[in-house]
Amino acid sequence: MEAKAGERIPTGIEGLDMLIEGGLLKRTTVALLGQPGAGKSIFCENFVWEGLKRNDYVLYFVLDFPPWELARRMNRFKWDISPYKSEDPLRKRLYVVDAFSGSTDVPQQTFKEQLFVKNPSNLDEFFAVFDGLLQNVSSYASYDSVIRIVLDSVSPILSMTPDFSRVYRFLRRLVVRVNLVDNAVAIFTAHLGMHGKHIETSLKQLTGNTLELIRRIDEGETRKFLRIEHLRETYHTNKMIPYAIADEGFVINPQALI
Ligand SMILES: Nc1ncnc2c1ncn2[C@@H]1O[C@H](COP(=O)(O)OP(=O)(O)OP(=O)(O)O)[C@@H](O)[C@H]1O
Ligand SMILES: [Mg+2]
């Protein structure tokens, strides 16, 4: 069944949006899987920047690098996030949550983020921060405001929690939570090769939406492809979609499909 107009949220990666009926379906979570260095974070940064340009709300959970690096990373593409972090509630659109330092010896205050998960391997605390922020933002966002959520990446959580059933329950709670908010869409990234097959498969099953970044060496050259493994209620190609990281961020040329 085709989605109604307005039910999709453009990723901001134009070439991809053209291949997925205009964007990601609202009330869904997408698992973005790829090996380290594949471009997962840059994909998310594109998605976030698109949202900020559109006046969407963005909840960005940073787990893989210190949160202050986000501004620097995005500046590389000339995407200035500072105005959106404003404390003026009328202008504030970007909420960065430090879910990094709590799993290191670096004190939280070093990164000056007001929002943080004190102990990211405490999944109940993590969920409470996620749930609280989402509730808070959806309570004052107007009814048609889009809320974009990024968890980059879930791999530290998956790696620091040996109890699989707890991880599964945690991910399930997050996915269901996103699904309850009319205009929300989330991207959860994960590092391929870091987790057991059952964890990867669980992430795919729970979200029902999987994009995979694949690197292949052909005749001595590294080639990068995005594969749409599964996107709910979306007609999509099964071909390998070449992508590049360029000055404009994550770039897909739909004409270059092989
Ligand atoms: N301006 C740029 N032009 C071309 N390539 C770039 C540019 N900026 C970054 N890259 C490349 O992008 C890749 C890193 O992207 P990104 O940080 O999104 O990866 P990732 O999948 O999130 O990896 P990880 O989280 O493991 O570090 C690197 O291979 C880097 O060389
Ligand atoms: Mg990354």
Side-chain angles (χ1 to χ4, degrees):
M1 194 180 71
E2 212 166 299
K4 287 195 289 265
E7 279 198 349
R8 289 186 183 269
I9 296 174
T11 62
I13 300 163
E14 218 176 303
L16 176 62
D17 292 331
M18 288 169 69
L19 295 169
I20 56 172
E21 299 182 31
L24 304 172
L25 213 51
K26 289 177 181 173
R27 303 168 80 124
T28 57
T29 296
V30 176
L32 174 63
L33 307 176
Q35 286 179 351
K40 301 178 294 298
S41 298
I42 295 174
F43 185 111
C44 294
E45 289 155 18
N46 260 94
F47 173 75
V48 163
W49 184 242
E50 179 68 16
L52 295 176
K53 282 192 301 185
R54 289 171 177 262
N55 208 26
D56 298 347
Y57 287 85
V58 177
L59 320 186
Y60 205 131
F61 291 78
V62 184
L63 290 100
D64 276 359
F65 49 82
W68 53 262
E69 272 189 26
L70 184 62
R72 200 186 69 194
R73 292 178 58 98
M74 293 191 62
N75 269 333
R76 286 200 323 243
F77 302 107
K78 303 198 167 52
W79 301 333
D80 178 12
I81 58 173
S82 51
Y84 304 96
K85 286 188 79 185
S86 154
E87 285 318 307
D88 171 357
L90 290 175
R91 292 171 62 214
K92 187 168 179 67
R93 288 294 178 274
L94 175 61
Y95 297 77
V96 178
V97 182
D98 175 6
F100 170 84
S101 52
S103 59
T104 69
D105 292 331
V106 184
Q108 226 116 35
Q109 308 85 285
T110 315
F111 303 126
K112 298 188 177 68
E113 293 303 335
Q114 287 179 343
L115 297 163
F116 52 82
V117 183
K118 213 157 117 198
N119 175 8
S121 44
N122 178 343
L123 303 186
D124 289 331
E125 188 211 342
F126 202 121
F127 180 77
V129 173
F130 185 93
D131 179 50
L133 182 59
L134 187 50
Q135 243 182 65
N136 201 7
V137 170
S138 39
S139 71
Y140 55 71
S142 63
Y143 78 97
D144 56 349
S145 290
V146 168
I147 302 177
R148 296 177 184 237
I149 303 161
V150 171
L151 249 82
D152 185 28
S153 70
V154 294
S155 290
I157 308 173
L158 306 183
S159 310
M160 291 185 298
T161 315
D163 182 347
F164 172 69
S165 61
R166 289 193 58 225
V167 168
Y168 184 85
R169 178 166 178 271
F170 169 70
L171 292 173
R172 190 179 161 90
R173 288 174 88 192
L174 293 181
V175 169
V176 170
R177 188 66 191 83
V178 173
N179 194 256
L180 290 173
V181 180
D182 270 346
N183 290 327
V185 65
I187 298 181
F188 295 178
T189 71
H191 296 273
L192 271 182
M194 244 178 97
H195 313 292
K197 258 283 163 282
H198 62 299
I199 293 188
E200 271 173 39
T201 308
S202 304
L203 195 56
K204 292 177 181 181
Q205 177 264 326
L206 283 169
T207 58
N209 300 291
T210 307
L211 302 177
E212 202 165 305
L213 303 182
I214 297 164
R215 265 187 300 208
R216 249 182 18 201
I217 315 258
D218 275 348
E219 295 165 3
E221 220 184 296
T222 308
R223 295 186 198 279
K224 295 176 168 184
F225 299 96
L226 180 145
R227 193 169 71 84
I228 305 172
E229 184 169 315
H230 179 33
L231 274 186
R232 271 184 196 156
E233 297 169 49
T234 305
Y235 292 110
H236 62 79
T237 177
N238 291 317
K239 291 186 176 175
M240 303 275 266
I241 306 163
Y243 71 89
I245 311 287
D247 291 345
E248 318 87 278
F250 196 104
V251 182
I252 285 180
N253 173 6
Q255 258 110 52
L257 279 189
I258 56 166

